[in-house]
Amino acid sequence: MENKIIFDWLSFTVKTSRVDVNGVLLETITEKNLISLLGLENVDFEELPGIMGINGFQKRLYSNSITIHYDSRLVDFMWVEMSGQGCRAFESLSTHADYNFIFDFIINNSDIVNVTRLDVAYDDFQGLLDVYAIADDTVPDYRDTNNYNFVSPLRSHSVNVSNKGICVTIGSCRSDIMFRIYDKAAERNKSDDIPHWVRCEIQLRRDRAYDFIRLLREENETVDNLYFLVLNHYLRFVEPDPTDSNKSRWNLAKHWVAFAYSVTTQKKSLFVKPGLDYNLAKLDKVVENQFAGAVFTYLKCHGIDRLVTTLDEKFSKVKLNRKYKRLLDEQDALKQIVELND
């Protein structure tokens, strides 16, 4: 079997309405709109009561591990939740089966949409991942949990052994990023049928999940390359060097090299956002190159005043995309610094 990378969890919230800055209702969003977004209009959803304690949702629609929570007494949003099996169902049953369609919706409607969780998983069938060596490096001595042979900004770590196999966790389930490496064949009771099936899963929450999606769609990254860029930044298993107390200088563990460098040796932090100069240069490039003809023709036909008026009216009713709002905020901050120095 070939190794593969899959999306294994996706959940996001969508506000039930969109209003302008004066609170005037512009649009109402319903659970049916979300079914259409997923391309599941032809799938039968079962209407069930809400789960007690989850944001006051009184109802939920359920089909094939895909859940839409709605009709809340406490919050003004709905919640779409697709577990691993839900992702497989989406890929098989959706009329478009296109994650990019959903990702673009999330990015283009950031004023009413929040992604809450995205899991990206690498399934190894060819022996790149040695889960036992990884477990030994995670907890070399159970009497001393501060002794570990990996480098990561994530400090929480554990190894769990059960009749479902071995599972290594780096990070906390409450944190914005967490890694789980485990024996998937043992978990599925398929060890007799599949000699080697180890999964390395990156669980992303909130802004980290949004940034992964943003990089995919706006920076033209591929899923496999971005997966390893993130992995190589946040997690490295290393060979202990008794002559050097600084783990960050230790060599990569032999059992980790083939996997970690199978696609790229580069790194990328999801916490690092493009700087002002880069963003502004990119904005200039897009406007001046991709849309230069359209802008030139519009100005020649209608003039600058109409363009300014039209855009002012538009963005008094809808919020700017996050990346443009961030750029404006940075530009305002820069102007304030210049004014203070004058």
Side-chain angles (χ1 to χ4, degrees), residues 5-6 22 26-27 35 82 94-95 117 133 173 196 204 213 233 242 247 268 287 294 296 300 318 333-334:
I5 295 178
I6 60 174
N22 298 314
L26 300 175
E27 180 183 9
I35 291 175
M82 299 197 301
S94 171
T95 54
R117 177 175 166 184
C173 61
H196 182 92
L204 304 163
I213 291 172
H233 176 82
K247 288 183 182 180
K268 185 182 286 289
V287 173
F296 177 81
K300 284 293 184 181
V318 298
L334 184 61

Side-chain angles (χ1 to χ4, degrees), residues 94-112:
S94 171
T95 54
H96 59 76
D98 185 358
Y99 286 104
N100 287 337
F101 185 80
I102 300 176
F103 293 161
D104 288 344
F105 173 80
I106 290 172
I107 291 173
N108 295 329
N109 295 277
S110 58
D111 57 324
I112 61 170

Side-chain angles (χ1 to χ4, degrees), residues 147-174:
N147 177 24
Y148 48 85
N149 299 327
F150 64 84
V151 177
S152 174
L154 307 168
R155 289 290 173 258
S156 178
H157 59 281
S158 64
V159 175
N160 182 60
V161 181
S162 69
N163 61 348
K164 292 293 185 180
I166 191 167
C167 178
V168 175
T169 302
I170 309 292
S172 165
C173 61
R174 294 182 179 180

Side-chain angles (χ1 to χ4, degrees), residues 5 34 81 112 127 134 139 156 234:
I5 295 178
L34 298 183
E81 188 178 28
I112 61 170
I134 291 169
V139 185
S156 178
Y234 287 98

Side-chain angles (χ1 to χ4, degrees), residues 89-332:
F90 166 75
E91 294 158 4
S92 301
L93 303 176
S94 171
T95 54
H96 59 76
D98 185 358
Y99 286 104
N100 287 337
F101 185 80
I102 300 176
F103 293 161
D104 288 344
F105 173 80
I106 290 172
I107 291 173
N108 295 329
N109 295 277
S110 58
D111 57 324
I112 61 170
V113 181
N114 280 306
V115 59
T116 54
R117 177 175 166 184
L118 176 68
D119 290 5
V120 191
Y122 184 104
D123 280 334
D124 170 36
F125 301 101
Q126 299 176 353
L128 291 179
L129 287 164
D130 185 341
V131 70
Y132 297 100
I134 291 169
D136 288 341
D137 277 344
T138 304
V139 185
D141 185 349
Y142 283 87
R143 295 167 297 181
D144 182 7
T145 56
N146 290 320
N147 177 24
Y148 48 85
N149 299 327
F150 64 84
V151 177
S152 174
L154 307 168
R155 289 290 173 258
S156 178
H157 59 281
S158 64
V159 175
N160 182 60
V161 181
S162 69
N163 61 348
K164 292 293 185 180
I166 191 167
C167 178
V168 175
T169 302
I170 309 292
S172 165
C173 61
R174 294 182 179 180
S175 62
D176 284 351
I177 185 165
M178 182 180 78
F179 293 87
R180 291 177 68 237
I181 305 168
Y182 57 101
D183 188 339
K184 190 67 176 178
E187 185 204 51
R188 291 285 187 88
N189 293 317
K190 290 192 174 184
S191 297
D192 293 337
D193 302 322
I194 306 175
H196 182 92
W197 182 8
V198 175
R199 173 170 289 182
C200 181
E201 185 175 272
I202 306 177
Q203 183 182 111
L204 304 163
R205 291 183 180 275
R206 296 172 287 274
D207 285 349
R208 302 293 79 76
Y210 178 84
D211 283 342
F212 191 96
I213 291 172
R214 179 184 61 80
L215 287 168
L216 273 180
R217 301 305 296 148
E218 296 186 350
E219 303 297 329
N220 295 319
E221 288 285 1
T222 60
V223 176
D224 52 350
N225 194 61
L226 185 54
Y227 175 94
F228 281 99
L229 286 171
V230 174
L231 176 84
N232 291 335
H233 176 82
Y234 287 98
L235 180 62
R236 294 188 300 120
F237 287 95
V238 291
E239 296 279 357
D241 183 350
T243 66
D244 191 346
S245 61
N246 189 339
K247 288 183 182 180
S248 64
R249 291 194 292 261
W250 292 1
N251 292 328
L252 212 59
K254 293 178 182 178
H255 68 80
W256 189 247
V257 173
F259 172 66
Y261 289 172
S262 60
V263 172
T264 179
T265 61
Q266 302 301 308
K267 307 174 184 179
K268 185 182 286 289
S269 168
L270 292 181
F271 290 88
V272 176
K273 294 180 174 62
L276 176 63
D277 291 340
Y278 173 83
N279 267 337
L280 198 54
K282 183 172 181 180
L283 177 66
D284 293 344
K285 184 177 179 180
V286 169
V287 173
E288 294 169 5
N289 294 338
Q290 291 182 243
F291 302 113
V295 173
F296 177 81
T297 304
Y298 186 99
L299 291 175
K300 284 293 184 181
C301 293
H302 301 298
I304 187 66
D305 291 340
R306 174 167 168 175
L307 177 62
V308 172
T309 301
T310 300
L311 293 179
D312 281 342
E313 290 178 353
K314 175 179 175 62
F315 291 107
S316 68
K317 299 177 181 178
V318 298
K319 292 184 179 179
L320 276 173
N321 183 289
R322 287 186 191 183
K323 64 179 180 181
Y324 300 130
K325 179 65 168 61
R326 184 166 60 239
L327 182 57
L328 286 175
D329 290 342
E330 290 173 342
Q331 189 77 351
D332 288 341

